[in-house]
Structures are given as C-alpha cells and as structure tokens.
Amino acid sequence: MTTRKNRQGSAQGGARAVVKSENGAWQPQGKSKRGRGGNNAGQYPAYAQNKRAYGDTEPDDLYHAGPSSSKRYKPTPDPAATAAIRHPAFWHPDGSVVVELEGTKFRLHQSTLARHSSHFAELFRDSDRPRGGRAFLELEHTPGGPPVPVYHVREAAADDFAALLRVIEEPLEYVDTTPPLLLVAQVLRAARALAFDAQRRWAERMLERAWPAALDALDLGAAFPHAGLALSLARASGLPAVQKRASYELLRAPGFGQRVDGDEGAGGEELPRVELLRLLHAREQLGLAWAEAAGRAPTGAECTRSGCAVGDAERVQVRWAERVHASGLFAQRMGDPLVGLSELGALPWREDGLCKKCVAAWREDWEALRQQLWDKLDGWLGLDEPAEQLQQAPA
C-alpha cells in the first residue's frame, strides 16, 4: 500500500508530495533519478549499464525528503585520488587508460600495455574487479571527451614502473651501452610484478652480462658496487650465475659491504641474516684454504736441474716471507684468495733461483686450487640447494 503526504520542500519553501513505498522509505514523487556523472548515462551507454565496474558506488536515492531534499548527494572525495600527480614524462594526451601507482598517474595506451603485459591484459578483460583487490577501476573525466578508466596498481613502485616504460618506449637507448644496475633493478622488479615477460628477460640478460660467473672474469681491482642489490635480484629471479659472482664480490668487500655503526662510507644494501650467514661460512672456508696455500712456501719437491733453489728449503722460505708476508700480500688477500692465488703465480719466482719447470709446477697447482675453491663456492653459498631450501641458513 502506498501513502501520500506533504513535507517541507526545498530551501525556497513550499510543499512537495512524497510517496511512502511498501518498504517504508519516503521518496519524492515525480523526481527522476540520475546517476553520478550528469549525462554520462545517456551519452555513454556502457557506463550506464555497468556503473559499479567504474567505481560508481553512489546510493540510488539521490534525493531525500526533508529540509535538505534539494541538495544533491556528494560522496566524500578519496584523499589518495585527489593527491595523485601526473608523471611528467608518461602522460600521453592521446592515451586511453590511466594507471596510478603510489600517487603518480601515468596516461598510457591500453593496447601497448595489453601487448606487453599479461597482468594488464587480464585487468582490461576483467572490468568488474572489486575495489581493494590487486587493482580497481575508476573514471577520470576529461573536458570534451569520454571518461578515461583509471587503474590503481599496488604491486609495483612508481619509479620502477617509470623505468620499465622508459625501456619499452625507448628500446634502442641501451643497444650499444650497458644500462646502470639501478635501472636494471627497477625494470626487473616492475616487470616481474606486472608480468612484462620480454622486459623481464632483457633485464635478466643485462644482469648476467654485468655479473659474469666465469673464474677468469674476476676483477683484480676493486669490488663491484651494489653487489647486495645484484644478489637480491638474482635470488628472486633464479639466476645462480649472478648470485655466485655477486656473492664473491660481497665476500671480498670489508664487512660484506654492510654499514657498521652508522658508517656512511660503506653504502651497501642491507642483507638479510641468512645471506650474511652464508657469506660468513664461505669466507671462513676460503680463509682456511688461503692460509694453507700461502702461509708457507711449497717445499718438499725435488728438482734434478742444477742450481734450482727449490731444494734449498731455508732459502725458499726466506724469499717467500719477503714476497708474500712482508709485502702485505698474505694479509691483503685473506678475504680474496682467488685473486691472491693469481697474484702468487704472477710473482717473479725465477729471480729467486727457481727453475722454469718448478715455477710452472707451482703456478699449475695454484690455478687448480683456484678452480677447486670456485667450484666449492656453490655449496658454501647454498647455490646447489633446492629452491625450497634457499631461505635456510647453512649448517
């Protein structure tokens, strides 16, 4: 049963008929209900049929009986949306979608995103994704044009996404040059999070090129910067070769490249406890091997060549102490024995009375030890463990 009665109308005065429906709610008689967005329902039929998919959650009854019945319902604005800023480089006027990450908006082409990313292709197919999920959709109204959908993405950082877009839109920038590690890290993180497979493979190749795992590629000079970052990326991406090279760079860095007592000079990325334990275990094993190989000269060998000093143990030890210990080589390479063994082989042992054959034998033994230690690093660093055990510390 429907009941009619008059109530006080708008602020201008006068009475207006309202109708009480069967469910007990009072509604104004003769008023048409319009959805938020003005004429959007008439101009854009798809929007009218599926308003909630665009984030339009305004109540159906926009007018209420009573003194304030002439005032239109106005939803509370989202502070995060109002605070968002446009990215200066990736706001294309002809873009068909807006992607927002961490308060930064990117106006892009939907076809480009869908072609490169299975993540975005899925989002574009599923326009009913609820707000609060991986992404949610709203409308951004543009003067003189249809509303542009806005996707709020939480899986990636805004700076990482911008670096990824830079590589997509400028693919020839790093054809002849190696990109900086920080850029590669940004691209890899965003590509993994948002399923840009081609860009992920490119970033992984750049990592492997910059951090080769060949023993001969070890630099005799200073350690590579950002080894902690490279190790973290390699662990997450399953790149054991990069893990090995980055781990060794940390092994020979003071304090594993970590800041100690607020030291600003270290500048290394903070490593998790499990990685530090692995590095500590590997450094102990390498230090023991170095002490045994370089603590004393290799003696006991016999040489039939006349004049070779290898048979004079006392003489050999004196010259060894001068070249290895007094020079500082032994202490300096305690944390870098693989390079230390190469430097032992480069010393001018012929000048100390050793024959060519004996020097060649020493160098052959040292090179074999280098390769042996390099191979054992896989076990010490946990690189040969199953994936489910990678987060466990070494025994």
Side-chain angles (χ1 to χ4, degrees):
M1 179 176 179
T2 302
T3 304
R4 297 171 56 92
K5 64 183 295 187
N6 290 336
R7 285 198 173 184
Q8 183 65 30
S10 63
Q12 285 77 14
R16 180 158 59 92
V18 293
V19 178
K20 187 175 184 180
S21 62
E22 295 182 357
N23 61 6
W26 290 97
Q27 295 181 349
Q29 185 182 33
K31 285 288 184 178
S32 63
K33 300 177 184 179
R34 296 191 304 166
R36 185 173 60 182
N39 295 326
N40 284 341
Q43 188 175 356
Y44 308 111
Y47 171 77
Q49 296 173 6
N50 198 15
K51 291 188 296 180
R52 290 188 180 276
Y54 291 92
D56 193 341
T57 57
E58 183 176 328
D60 290 334
D61 52 336
L62 301 179
Y63 295 86
H64 303 273
S68 60
S69 59
S70 65
K71 295 183 180 179
R72 186 134 183 259
Y73 170 81
K74 295 182 180 180
T76 303
D78 183 356
T82 58
I85 61 173
R86 297 178 177 181
H87 193 278
F90 299 106
W91 185 265
H92 304 317
D94 59 342
S96 53
V97 295
V98 172
V99 178
E100 181 178 334
L101 303 91
E102 297 183 326
T104 301
K105 289 184 176 181
F106 303 79
R107 185 163 182 174
L108 308 167
H109 299 97
Q110 177 174 326
S111 59
T112 300
L113 293 174
R115 184 172 68 253
H116 287 285
S117 166
S118 58
H119 174 92
F120 279 106
E122 178 186 355
L123 292 184
F124 299 149
R125 286 193 301 266
D126 184 11
S127 62
D128 293 325
R129 183 176 301 280
R131 184 183 180 111
R134 287 191 304 164
F136 59 86
L137 183 148
E138 296 178 340
L139 285 181
E140 176 160 309
H141 298 275
T142 56
V148 179
V150 181
Y151 292 86
H152 297 247
V153 178
R154 298 184 176 90
E155 288 86 347
D159 289 344
D160 291 353
F161 188 59
L164 174 63
L165 294 175
R166 174 182 172 184
V167 170
I168 292 175
E169 297 193 3
E170 301 291 341
L172 301 180
E173 184 175 358
Y174 296 106
V175 170
D176 299 322
T177 60
T178 300
L181 176 62
L182 297 182
L183 174 68
V184 174
Q186 290 178 312
V187 173
L188 184 55
R189 285 193 297 259
R192 282 174 51 83
L194 302 175
F196 285 78
D197 292 338
Q199 288 70 34
R200 173 186 55 80
R201 291 191 295 268
W202 173 84
E204 291 174 352
R205 288 197 304 271
M206 295 301 101
L207 269 182
E208 291 173 332
R209 181 186 302 176
W211 299 80
L215 182 58
D216 294 339
L218 288 182
D219 187 3
L220 299 182
F224 283 18
H226 305 296
L229 175 59
L231 176 58
S232 175
L233 293 171
R235 285 280 192 195
S237 301
L239 303 175
V242 179
Q243 293 177 46
K244 188 170 187 176
R245 178 59 186 273
S247 295
Y248 192 76
E249 295 299 336
L250 291 170
L251 279 171
R252 60 180 181 170
F256 301 130
Q258 303 298 285
R259 290 188 175 92
V260 179
D261 296 332
D263 180 17
E264 296 296 333
E269 294 78 11
E270 184 176 356
L271 296 175
R273 180 176 179 272
V274 63
E275 295 290 3
L276 292 173
L277 290 176
R278 291 181 190 279
L279 293 172
L280 182 60
H281 176 66
R283 180 178 282 185
E284 289 174 348
Q285 300 302 315
L286 290 173
L288 290 174
W290 173 248
E292 183 177 354
R296 290 176 57 86
T299 56
E302 297 182 0
C303 183
T304 58
R305 293 178 177 271
S306 60
C308 181
V310 74
D312 188 347
E314 183 176 355
R315 178 184 174 185
V316 171
Q317 293 298 342
V318 169
R319 296 301 298 149
W320 185 273
E322 293 175 355
R323 291 198 179 277
V324 178
H325 292 279
S327 66
L329 174 61
F330 181 81
Q332 181 182 2
R333 295 306 182 189
M334 181 63 74
D336 194 1
L338 298 183
V339 172
L341 290 168
S342 292
E343 292 179 340
L344 281 180
L347 292 175
W349 297 111
R350 291 292 305 277
E351 297 177 3
D352 297 330
L354 275 71
C355 69
K356 182 178 180 179
K357 182 179 179 180
C358 290
V359 171
W362 280 10
R363 290 172 176 167
E364 183 178 345
D365 290 343
W366 292 329
E367 187 58 32
L369 180 59
R370 287 183 79 233
Q371 188 64 56
Q372 181 183 7
L373 294 175
W374 183 248
D375 293 340
K376 286 184 176 181
L377 272 177
D378 290 344
W380 296 335
L381 296 171
L383 302 181
D384 56 357
E385 296 178 4
E388 61 270 14
Q389 298 180 9
L390 286 179
Q391 297 302 318
Q392 299 178 8

